[in-house]
Amino acid sequence: MIAEIIAAGSEMLTPHRQDTNSLYLTERLNALGVAVAFKTIVGDNLQHLSDAARIALHRADIVIFSGGLGPTEDDLTREAVAAALCIGLSRSPEILTAMYKRFAERRVSMPENNAKQADVLDGADVLQNNNGSAPGQWLDTVVDGHRKLVILLPGPPKELMPLFTEACEPRLAASLPERHFAKRWLRIALMPESKVDAIAAPIYQTYTDVESTILSSAAEIQLHFLCAKPTLAEAQQRVDELTSKVEDALDEAVFSSQGEPLEEIILLRLQMRGLTLATAESITGGMVASRLTGVAGHSDTYIGGAVTYSAHLKKKFAGVSDEILKQHGTVSDQAARALAEGIREQTGASIGLAVTGVAGPGPLLDTDSIEKPCGLVFVAVSDGVSTESLQKTFTGDRDRIRTFAAQQALDLLRQKLI
Ligand code: ATP
Ligand code: MG
C-alpha cells in the first residue's frame, strides 16, 4: 500500500509558505505502516489539480488531498477530484442545513459561495469537521480495477490534524491488514558512508522484507532497519537477524546496537570496570566534556577535565613540559600523549583522554614556526600503564573539524575499552 499526498494551494509554491500538512500526514501514515511514495504541491488551478489527481490515482493506493475545500473561487479540490474520477458532485442538504445554522448562530447571513462546501463526491462519506466549516470526504472506490482510498481534508492544520486522527486513522486501520513494526539501528563512528554501505548492503539487500536506510550525520553513520509483519514476533525476528549479521560484518566499527550515543557507551563501560576518566581538550574546547556530562548520573565516572587551549595552560593544568612544546609544538603526537598522561596524574583519574589540533581556517604556525596544516588532529588516551595515540587529518570548516576531533577522541577511548 502506498500513499500520495497532494497539497493544494498556490501560496505553497512561493517562498513564503510551506506545506507542513504533508509532514504530519506522512508521520501518521508511516505509523500505520503506509509508506508515502509521492508528495505533490499544486497551485489553485482546476486543470493542474485534476491532472495531479489523475496521476496520483493511477500510481498510489491512498490519495490524500489537503486544502482547497473552502468557499472561495480558488478552492477547487472537490471539482478537480470529481473531474479526475469522472464522477459527479451532489449538494448535501444535511451539510447545507448545518452551515446555515452555523451562520445563523453568529447572526450573519451565509454568502452564496459557501454553499459549494456542501458538495460531496458521489459515493463519498462526509467527515464532520468540528473545527471549521468545510467537512472532509472519504471515498472508497475502484480505478482501473484497483481499490483506491481518496481522502479530502481541509487545509488549515488545526482542522486537518484532528480530522485525520479522529475520522481517518480508525478507518484506515480497519482497511489495512494488521501489521506490527520492529525497528533496530546500528551506530558507527568515523567511517565513510560508502565504506559502511559496501559492507552492509550485500547483507541487507537479501532482506527484501526489511526497509534499510543509511543516514550520515556529524562523524557518524547510522543504519536503520524496519520490518512490518502480521505479528511483532515475526517482525522482531527478521530485524534482529539482519542487525546481528550486519553488526558481525562491521565488527568493532559499530559502537551501539540499541541506539545509545557514543559517550553513554563509554561511561557505561568505564562504570562497569570501576574506572574514572578525566579530559584535557585543546581544539575541542570542552566538546568532549560537554558530551560526557550530557549523560545524566555519571559524575563518579567522568570526574572532569580542563580546556587547555593555550600552551601556558597545557603546562599548568596537564604538566606538559617546555621541552615537548618547544621540540614538537602544541599540535603534535607528543603533546597529545603528554596531555593525556598529565591530566590523568593531575586529577588522579584512572584514564586521561586528550585532543589537540588545528581547527583552521588555515594552517597554524606552531612552536619554532613549524607549520601545522588545518585539520591535523592528535588524540591520546592513557591509563597509567600505557598511552595510545592517533593522528588524523579532517577536512571542512572549523565546526566540522572540531566535531570530528571530539568524536575521534571518544572513539579512541571506546576502542581501548572493548
Ligand atoms: P479554508 O476554508 O480556510 O479556505 P481550505 O481547505 O480551502 O480551507 P486552503 O484555503 O487551501 O484550505 O488553506 C487555508 C489555510 O490553511 C492556508 O492559508 C494555510 O495557512 C493553511 N494551509 C493550507 N494548506 C496547508 C499545508 N499543506 N500545510 C500547512 N498549512 C496549510
Ligand atoms: Mg481556502
Side-chain angles (χ1 to χ4, degrees), residues 262-289:
L262 182 54
E263 51 275 21
E264 189 177 331
I265 296 286
I266 288 169
L267 288 165
L268 291 173
R269 287 194 188 156
L270 289 167
Q271 193 181 37
M272 266 162 45
R273 296 178 200 186
L275 298 171
T276 58
L277 171 69
T279 50
E281 297 181 67
S282 184
I283 179 173
T284 47
M287 290 164 82
V288 174

Side-chain angles (χ1 to χ4, degrees), residues 4-5 40-41 134 144 166 178 198 243 304 334 375 383:
E4 173 156 355
I5 299 167
T40 307
I41 298 175
D144 296 334
E166 287 158 24
E178 192 176 345
T243 309
Q334 289 81 356
D383 62 4

Side-chain angles (χ1 to χ4, degrees), residues 28-47:
R28 307 299 301 188
L29 286 165
N30 288 169
L32 287 165
V34 178
V36 173
F38 306 95
K39 292 206 280 185
T40 307
I41 298 175
V42 196
D44 301 309
N45 172 298
L46 185 60
Q47 186 65 47

Side-chain angles (χ1 to χ4, degrees), residues 46-126:
L46 185 60
Q47 186 65 47
H48 296 168
L49 255 175
S50 59
D51 285 349
R54 252 178 233 109
I55 294 167
L57 286 161
H58 180 70
R59 64 189 179 184
D61 310 291
I62 302 170
V63 184
I64 304 182
F65 293 84
S66 141
L69 298 185
T72 60
E73 288 299 316
D74 61 1
D75 289 317
L76 298 161
T77 303
R78 285 172 293 258
E79 293 83 345
V81 176
L85 284 167
C86 300
I87 58 172
L89 286 164
S90 327
R91 197 147 286 184
S92 152
E94 291 85 14
I95 301 176
L96 213 49
T97 312
M99 282 166 56
Y100 277 120
K101 210 171 141 217
R102 275 172 73 115
F103 275 90
E105 278 165 9
R106 283 184 272 146
R107 296 184 185 281
V108 277
S109 58
M110 189 176 90
E112 204 39 51
N113 284 352
N114 281 58
K116 74 174 191 170
Q117 287 188 284
D119 289 349
V120 179
L121 295 164
D122 288 349
D125 294 343
V126 173

Side-chain angles (χ1 to χ4, degrees), residues 186-198:
L186 296 176
R187 299 177 72 166
I188 299 120
L190 294 157
M191 210 168 163
E193 187 177 358
S194 53
K195 199 170 166 190
V196 172
D197 206 44

Side-chain angles (χ1 to χ4, degrees), residues 71-271:
T72 60
E73 288 299 316
D74 61 1
D75 289 317
L76 298 161
T77 303
R78 285 172 293 258
E79 293 83 345
V81 176
L85 284 167
C86 300
I87 58 172
L89 286 164
S90 327
R91 197 147 286 184
S92 152
E94 291 85 14
I95 301 176
L96 213 49
T97 312
M99 282 166 56
Y100 277 120
K101 210 171 141 217
R102 275 172 73 115
F103 275 90
E105 278 165 9
R106 283 184 272 146
R107 296 184 185 281
V108 277
S109 58
M110 189 176 90
E112 204 39 51
N113 284 352
N114 281 58
K116 74 174 191 170
Q117 287 188 284
D119 289 349
V120 179
L121 295 164
D122 288 349
D125 294 343
V126 173
L127 308 173
Q128 192 186 319
N129 179 356
N130 297 323
N131 302 286
S133 60
Q137 301 192 29
W138 170 286
L139 180 63
D140 194 340
T141 187
V142 174
V143 174
D144 296 334
H146 298 283
R147 183 182 178 197
K148 305 283 170 180
L149 293 177
V150 182
I151 304 169
L152 273 53
L153 298 170
K158 282 195 174 124
E159 299 178 32
L160 175 135
M161 291 186 196
L163 199 54
F164 187 75
T165 347
E166 287 158 24
C168 302
E169 280 184 28
R171 283 170 174 252
L172 273 174
S175 308
L176 298 167
E178 192 176 345
R179 273 149 63 96
H180 294 268
F181 294 87
K183 185 172 181 174
R184 287 280 303 272
W185 50 308
L186 296 176
R187 299 177 72 166
I188 299 120
L190 294 157
M191 210 168 163
E193 187 177 358
S194 53
K195 199 170 166 190
V196 172
D197 206 44
I199 298 169
I203 306 168
Y204 68 64
Q205 276 164 356
T206 63
Y207 284 70
T208 49
D209 54 344
V210 180
E211 193 184 306
S212 303
T213 316
I214 185 160
L215 297 172
S216 167
S217 61
E220 181 181 324
I221 302 294
Q222 296 180 1
L223 280 166
H224 289 234
F225 303 117
L226 178 73
C227 183
K229 292 279 178 199
T231 68
L232 184 60
E234 275 176 272
Q236 197 66 58
Q237 190 270 332
R238 289 296 283 166
V239 163
D240 287 346
E241 191 183 296
L242 171 57
T243 309
S244 68
K245 279 189 191 171
V246 174
E247 194 176 354
D248 285 351
L250 286 163
D251 203 20
E252 288 175 4
V254 175
F255 68 78
S256 165
S257 60
Q258 302 292 342
E260 310 93 332
L262 182 54
E263 51 275 21
E264 189 177 331
I265 296 286
I266 288 169
L267 288 165
L268 291 173
R269 287 194 188 156
L270 289 167
Q271 193 181 37

